[in-house]
Amino acid sequence: MSEERYEKIRSIVASVYKVPLDTVSMDKSLNEIGKDSLDAVSLVFALEDEFQVSLPDECMDPTRSLRELAERVESLRAGAPPAATSGDS
Amino acid sequence: MRRVVVTGIGVVSAIGNTLPEFWASLSNGTTGIAPLTIADPGRFRFKRAAEVRGYDPLQHFDEKRADLLDRFAQFAVVAARAAVADAAVVWTPQLRERTAVITGSCTGGQSSEDAGFFHLYHERRPNVHPLTIPRTMANAGASHVTVEFGITGPSFTVSTACASATHALGQAFWLVRSGAVDMALAGGSEAPFSLGNLKAWDALRVVSADTCRPFSRNRSGMILGEGAAMLVLESHEAARARGARIWGEVVGFGMSSDAGHITQPNAEGAARAMRLALEDARLAPEAVGYVNAHGTGTAANDVTETQAIRALFGGHADVLAVSSTKAMHGHALGAAGALEAAATLLALHHGVLPPTVNYEEPDPQCALDVVPNQARPASVQHALSNSFAFGGMNAVLAFGAPR
């Protein structure tokens, strides 16, 4: 994934969780960034909106690292079949 | 059964975001009805509204908290904070468990819902914001108030259209009176100015293209308002024991249903609710010196309310002062009953009756002393506050001056 895309994801995370950008490391899990489940769903919304993808529920596993989440977003963008969701088009 | 008093009041309204400003406007007859700014007036028949002004969410909440709160819930929390500070409540774990939070709201966070639906239907985005549900739910105001103060007692929200806050205050009064709780933080909040909701009101043809002129012969409808009021209720004994300042007493509450038309009011239903409030208060009609009317300024309400008052009070209606403060703070829907309860208590406390402003021509069908245009000093012992809602739901509170 391009550096730019990682940076974009970091800045979205920082903005949703309202934490300083420099505390958002791609190796951290969502749990380590913030414990609020509402922040987690807000992050899904923001990522789906930005990258025009539909993220399946298991992406939001709060124990996974941001890097794993970013790679999932990237593969969905690249056209890998998403897991079954009830998204609209 | 215990006597119940009001020891704290907090308001957010078109006529003031603090209690002193609110009272100053009421006693000066200053209206908060002004040209619509929150939406484009070109899109509606009506051009005016009673908007809250000078309100910045970030002065009251950090960004993270503000994100969770629709405007209506923000108003509820801001008003609750002010009421609690005004009452100088000293929280203990026991009091937190023995306090109820009861709010009224018609549409809750519909502005958040409207924004979400705009994305969905108009912009054809695949999703609405995930916080839409927690922001929109009508109980959000009450919930956030319980979180704010760590209140673990009973909490709920009442939805009875324009009578919501009166019903909420009435329930709070009964819970404190019966001893089920020791304190209640109750009132209402509303922020109904999304485009969709305003369009819905416009279509009903009850909002005036002019302004709100309750009881006036040339009245032509209501004016929508927004805001919140929250009151602290506790037992008279507890208030005295802790040296709290008492604004006034809640002495009775009455409710009725019209079982008639879904929007047209009915004088029998209204009179019954007032009568029941007086019976609950063990007061004779002649003991009432002032009525804060529902007084929306619609053709239907004002004449029906006049009939109900005349039917209940008989000859006493000739000397009874009846004013509608909606001409100043607008019709704040789910918050109306609470703003009006606050106005009524302040009137009793200060010995000054707020006027019905914008009054131009007497209407023979609304032959009442409406305290036209100018506030009037008057020492009144007991007052009623009326709310007669769409769907024929009537709620009336009876208040007593502090003694």
Side-chain angles (χ1 to χ4, degrees):
Chain A
M1 185 186 311
S2 71
E3 197 52 44
E4 211 179 273
R5 196 151 291 143
Y6 275 124
E7 281 314 299
K8 187 79 210 163
I9 288 176
R10 281 184 68 226
S11 90
I12 288 172
V13 170
S15 154
V16 167
Y17 281 79
K18 307 245 180 338
V19 294
L21 184 59
D22 56 17
T23 67
V24 179
S25 135
M26 296 307 284
D27 297 312
K28 278 191 175 172
S29 69
L30 285 180
N31 259 348
E32 290 172 280
I33 293 167
K35 293 269 183 213
D36 197 320
S37 60
L38 288 181
D39 285 335
V41 293
S42 295
L43 178 62
V44 174
F45 178 72
L47 292 173
E48 289 186 336
D49 208 35
E50 175 71 29
F51 296 109
Q52 300 292 295
V53 294
S54 186
L55 289 173
D57 287 346
E58 77 264 16
C59 282
M60 297 322 299
D61 179 352
T63 62
R64 281 188 171 182
S65 72
L66 267 196
R67 188 178 304 280
E68 287 175 77
L69 176 58
E71 278 158 11
R72 190 69 168 112
V73 170
E74 182 65 15
S75 73
L76 285 167
R77 267 188 55 86
T85 62
S86 57
D88 294 310
S89 59
Chain B
M1 292 215 296
R2 317 191 287 188
R3 287 172 63 188
V4 179
V5 296
V6 175
T7 52
I9 306 176
V11 297
V12 177
S13 75
I15 53 169
N17 297 337
T18 68
L19 201 58
E21 284 169 4
F22 182 72
W23 176 245
S25 299
L26 287 172
S27 51
N28 291 327
T30 305
T31 184
I33 295 174
L36 199 56
T37 67
I38 214 161
D40 171 10
R43 300 196 66 164
F44 317 102
R45 290 172 57 255
F46 58 85
K47 305 299 174 194
R48 290 184 185 81
E51 297 173 14
V52 167
R53 274 173 284 274
Y55 171 78
D56 174 8
L58 296 177
Q59 278 184 0
H60 301 278
F61 306 98
D62 64 51
E63 239 187 286
K64 209 164 162 72
R65 187 110 186 271
D67 248 5
L68 288 177
L69 292 159
D70 178 274
R71 188 173 170 90
F72 100 100
Q74 291 175 16
F75 287 165
V77 174
V78 170
R81 284 178 184 161
V84 166
D86 186 48
V89 176
V90 177
W91 293 111
T92 63
Q94 204 210 6
L95 183 59
R96 289 190 165 99
E97 249 186 54
R98 300 268 313 156
T99 295
V101 176
I102 310 177
T103 59
S105 187
C106 287
T107 54
Q110 56 81 37
S111 295
S112 293
E113 196 175 55
D114 193 87
F117 290 169
F118 181 82
H119 290 317
L120 195 61
Y121 299 132
H122 181 67
E123 294 181 342
R124 297 190 177 281
R125 296 231 220 137
N127 294 315
V128 300
H129 196 287
L131 295 181
T132 304
I133 295 283
R135 279 191 198 139
T136 302
M137 57 193 195
N139 59 302
S143 292
H144 282 283
V145 170
T146 65
V147 169
E148 178 85 12
F149 299 106
I151 291 169
T152 53
S155 62
F156 56 94
T157 296
V158 178
S159 188
T160 54
C162 329
S164 297
T166 306
H167 277 103
L169 283 162
Q171 295 301 305
F173 162 55
W174 280 353
L175 281 175
V176 176
R177 185 170 73 175
S178 72
V181 298
D182 292 332
M183 179 171 283
L185 195 43
S189 75
E190 203 81 65
F193 294 147
S194 72
L195 177 65
N197 203 47
L198 287 171
K199 274 289 185 185
W201 278 103
D202 202 18
L204 200 46
R205 303 286 184 140
V206 292
V207 180
S208 170
D210 169 34
T211 188
C212 179
R213 302 185 187 283
F215 304 113
S216 194
R217 189 175 180 150
N218 60 342
R219 67 188 182 277
S220 57
M222 54 183 265
I223 290 289
L224 291 163
E226 60 171 349
M230 292 291 282
L231 281 62
V232 175
L233 281 68
E234 60 188 296
S235 78
H236 179 253
E237 200 184 315
R240 292 296 290 267
R242 72 184 185 88
R245 179 256 285 109
I246 293 173
W247 285 114
E249 191 168 347
V250 187
V251 296
F253 175 54
M255 299 184 276
S256 73
S257 305
D258 287 349
H261 192 274
I262 197 70
T263 55
Q264 296 283 33
N266 157 320
E268 289 80 33
R272 191 166 353 104
M274 287 190 280
R275 178 173 53 78
L276 289 168
L278 290 175
E279 283 177 17
D280 191 48
R282 298 201 161 81
L283 281 177
E286 295 70 34
V288 178
Y290 169 64
V291 176
N292 183 294
H294 185 57
T296 53
T298 62
N301 177 81
D302 295 359
V303 63
T304 309
E305 188 163 12
T306 302
Q307 287 167 358
I309 288 171
R310 288 225 158 253
L312 180 66
F313 290 98
H316 184 64
D318 292 335
V319 299
L320 185 58
V322 178
S323 74
S324 169
T325 49
K326 285 186 170 76
M328 290 185 274
H329 52 65
H331 189 348
L333 304 176
L339 288 170
E340 290 154 30
T344 307
L345 282 159
L346 291 168
L348 290 174
H349 187 90
H350 291 291
V352 175
L353 304 180
T356 304
V357 302
N358 304 330
Y359 187 75
E360 285 188 341
E361 294 177 51
D363 180 351
Q365 292 200 299
C366 299
L368 291 169
D369 171 10
V370 302
V371 194
N373 299 313
Q374 277 205 304
R376 179 190 308 158
S379 176
V380 167
Q381 291 313 302
H382 299 103
L384 293 184
S385 179
N386 291 344
S387 296
F388 305 136
F390 276 177
M393 296 191 167
N394 308 310
V396 176
L397 286 163
F399 298 104
R403 58 183 174 89

